[in-house]
Amino acid sequence: MGFLSKWFKKREPELRQIHSLKQLQLGDMITLDDSFGLPPPLRSQTLVLEHVYCDEYQHTIDAIYWFKNQQGHAFRLVEHKDHLLLWLSLTRAQVEQVFAMDDFSEIFEPQGAMPLTPQSLSNLPQLTPWIGQQYHRISFAEFGYLHHQDYRQQRPPQSDDHQGGQPFERYFLESSDEQHALLVQVMSSGETEVYLGIVRPQTDIQEFWPRGNP
C-alpha cells in the first residue's frame, strides 16, 4: 500500500519566485546593494513594497512602486530607460532650501529653458546624494492621469473621466550627466509634488523576497 500513501501525500505549496519588479506584490521585499552610489538610507537596506499605482500618459504607463525602509522612510521607485529611478519626496520647506524660488518658478514658464542650479547645501547633508549639479528641462506640462490602482497587467479604463484617474501635469528635469533628476507633478487640485531622483543600475536590486516564503 506504499504507493497509495505516496499518491495521496499532501503536496507542499510551491514557493513564489520573483525575478523582476513586475512580479512584486504588496508586502514583498527587495534588498539593495551596498554601493556608495546609493544614499545612506538605501544602502544595504531591505525595503518593503507598500503600494503600487500607475501614471498614465498618452503613449506610456509608468508603474510607481512605493517602498519603506527599516526606519519607516518612504521612497518611490520607477523603471526608467533600463535603469532604476529612485525618488525622494520633498516638503515645500526643503524645496525652498534646495532651490532659489525665482529660479524654480522658471520650470513652469513655456520659455523657461534656463538650467536650474541648486543652492549651497551645507546645511542639508542628508539631501546631498540626491542632488545634481545642474538640471535641464526634458518635458514641459506633460499631461497624465494618476491611478491609485495597480494597472501593470491591464490597461486603465479609457472612459472620458478615466474612472477615478486624477489629472496632472508633469515637469521632468535631468542633470547633464543623466545621473540625477527632478520631477514636479502639478495635480488638478493645485497640489504640487516635488521629487529628487537618482538614476541607478537595475543590478542595485540584489535580492527579491516574496512575502510569506520561509
Side-chain angles (χ1 to χ4, degrees), residues 61 77 90 100 104 123 184 205 210:
I61 297 173
L77 187 151
L90 295 184
F104 187 81
N123 59 334
V184 182
I205 300 179

Side-chain angles (χ1 to χ4, degrees), residues 51-66 76-79 87 142-152 154 156 158 162 165-172 183-187 193 195:
H51 189 53
V52 181
Y53 65 80
C54 292
D55 285 347
E56 177 189 7
Y57 302 98
Q58 184 176 3
H59 300 295
T60 61
I61 297 173
D62 290 345
I64 313 297
Y65 301 87
W66 277 101
R76 165 182 165 135
L77 187 151
V78 182
E79 292 186 277
W87 294 105
E142 183 178 7
F143 188 77
Y145 288 94
L146 164 62
H147 297 277
H148 286 285
Q149 293 80 20
D150 181 358
Y151 286 115
R152 286 176 295 173
Q154 58 183 314
Q158 297 301 297
H162 285 237
Q166 185 179 358
F168 67 85
E169 291 182 345
R170 178 175 81 157
Y171 301 81
F172 184 82
L183 173 66
V184 182
Q185 286 184 317
V186 182
M187 314 307 294
E193 299 177 354
Y195 301 91

Side-chain angles (χ1 to χ4, degrees), residues 29-212:
M29 297 176 287
I30 61 173
T31 298
L32 297 180
D33 194 13
D34 61 356
S35 168
F36 283 101
L38 285 168
L42 293 173
R43 205 174 296 156
S44 298
Q45 286 279 309
T46 295
L47 310 179
V48 180
L49 182 62
E50 295 280 321
H51 189 53
V52 181
Y53 65 80
C54 292
D55 285 347
E56 177 189 7
Y57 302 98
Q58 184 176 3
H59 300 295
T60 61
I61 297 173
D62 290 345
I64 313 297
Y65 301 87
W66 277 101
F67 289 92
K68 279 189 178 178
N69 68 2
Q70 288 135 312
Q71 290 74 41
H73 299 139
F75 301 93
R76 165 182 165 135
L77 187 151
V78 182
E79 292 186 277
H80 175 71
K81 299 179 182 177
D82 298 323
H83 288 74
L84 302 176
L85 249 179
L86 292 157
W87 294 105
L88 177 70
S89 178
L90 295 184
T91 65
R92 180 179 177 85
Q94 288 174 321
V95 173
E96 293 174 349
Q97 289 175 300
V98 175
F99 301 104
M101 295 311 293
D102 286 346
D103 294 343
F104 187 81
S105 65
E106 289 291 316
I107 293 173
F108 309 105
E109 297 296 330
Q111 304 304 319
M114 293 293 291
L116 177 63
T117 303
Q119 302 183 106
S120 173
L121 299 173
S122 57
N123 59 334
L124 292 171
Q126 72 277 15
L127 294 181
T128 300
W130 294 92
I131 298 174
Q133 291 188 346
Q134 195 174 68
Y135 295 93
H136 303 269
R137 197 172 66 193
I138 304 299
S139 65
F140 173 79
E142 183 178 7
F143 188 77
Y145 288 94
L146 164 62
H147 297 277
H148 286 285
Q149 293 80 20
D150 181 358
Y151 286 115
R152 286 176 295 173
Q153 306 301 326
Q154 58 183 314
R155 194 179 182 194
Q158 297 301 297
S159 59
D160 288 343
D161 64 356
H162 285 237
Q163 296 206 359
Q166 185 179 358
F168 67 85
E169 291 182 345
R170 178 175 81 157
Y171 301 81
F172 184 82
L173 295 86
E174 220 170 36
S175 61
S176 299
D177 61 4
E178 299 185 350
Q179 296 304 300
H180 292 83
L182 175 67
L183 173 66
V184 182
Q185 286 184 317
V186 182
M187 314 307 294
S188 58
S189 62
E191 180 183 358
T192 301
E193 299 177 354
V194 181
Y195 301 91
L196 289 173
I198 57 170
V199 180
R200 297 296 303 166
Q202 299 233 14
T203 52
D204 270 3
I205 300 179
Q206 293 287 289
E207 292 186 81
F208 293 95
W209 301 93
R211 179 188 63 183

